[in-house]
């Protein structure tokens, strides 16, 4: 049994300056003000666009993240409808074979310390589920059958692609103190990356 922390990875090269110029060009079509484009005009223009609520303009750029988290978190992620998802399948992935080293991987809950009694109960439960999953596979159950006992804590990988407006919406909801702690943990990792790469578009979001 493996226990790991969640992680996120921004897929592909992100040229912030190029993205800003692309958005500015699209936005200025609305006002026919393309002649006002200069080397340093994009930042101020986009900041004003966002401040005015004219966020449809930033939909012209999409970004993809690879997210490693537990399956409970992905149940929340896929509720964001203006996005595309590709997720590791428990129906086709056989965790008993060599590709997975014949063991299951679980995401460590972030709301218990390792010496907490509830963490110990969680860890022991995951171990029992792993043993029983592997036993079911040994007894001839197919992966799509044995998955019936797999828990929310099972590690999964999911690709999420969304436009910048939807990423803003995602972060406003999921970095809130009212979000589920594990969902918020993932969202904050995404927020830090996007705030660094595209500060004009994401720095106004105040993660609680």
């Amino acid at each position: 049994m493996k226990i790991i922390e969640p992680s996120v990875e921004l897929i592909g090269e992100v040229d912030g300056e190029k993205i800003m110029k692309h958005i500015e060009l699209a936005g200025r079509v609305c006002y026919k003000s393309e002649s006002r484009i200069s080397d340093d005009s994009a930042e101020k223009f986009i900041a004003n666009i966002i401040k005015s609520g004219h966020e449809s303009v930033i939909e012209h750029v999409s970004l993809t993240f690879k997210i490693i988290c537990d399956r409970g978190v992905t149940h929340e992620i896929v509720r964001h409808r203006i996005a595309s998802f590709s997720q590791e399948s428990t129906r086709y992935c056989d965790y008993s074979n060599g590709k997975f080293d014949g063991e299951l991987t679980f995401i460590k809950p972030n709301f218990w310390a390792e010496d907490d009694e509830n963490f110990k109960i969680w860890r022991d439960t995951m171990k029992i589920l792993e043993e029983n999953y592997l036993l079911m596979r040994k007894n001839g159950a197919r992966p799509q059958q044995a998955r019936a006992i797999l828990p929310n804590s099972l590690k999964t990988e999911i690709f999420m692609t969304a436009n910048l407006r939807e990423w803003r919406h995602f972060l406003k909801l999921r970095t809130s103190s009212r979000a589920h702690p594990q969902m918020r943990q993932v969202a904050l990792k995404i927020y830090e990356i996007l705030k660094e790469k595209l500060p004009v578009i994401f720095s106004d979001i105040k993660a609680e």
Side-chain angles (χ1 to χ4, degrees), residues 89-96 104 129 132-151 154:
S89 171
T90 54
R91 182 181 181 191
Y92 296 107
C93 291
D94 179 3
Y95 299 107
S96 68
L104 275 63
L129 290 174
N132 286 342
Y133 175 90
L134 297 175
L135 180 59
M136 291 173 73
R137 289 290 294 121
K138 184 178 180 180
N139 290 341
R142 298 169 64 186
Q144 68 177 3
Q145 297 168 330
R147 78 172 187 177
I149 66 168
L150 295 177
L154 183 72

Side-chain angles (χ1 to χ4, degrees), residues 104-119:
L104 275 63
T105 301
F106 302 99
I107 299 294
K108 182 181 179 182
N110 65 340
F111 30 80
W112 296 313
E114 291 189 18
D115 60 353
D116 189 290
E117 188 63 28
N118 283 322
F119 180 83

Side-chain angles (χ1 to χ4, degrees), residues 147-169:
R147 78 172 187 177
I149 66 168
L150 295 177
N152 277 343
S153 289
L154 183 72
K155 163 262 178 187
T156 189
E157 299 181 14
I158 186 168
F159 264 53
M160 177 179 176
T161 301
N163 65 56
L164 298 185
R165 186 182 193 179
E166 178 58 19
W167 279 119
R168 281 177 58 82
H169 174 66

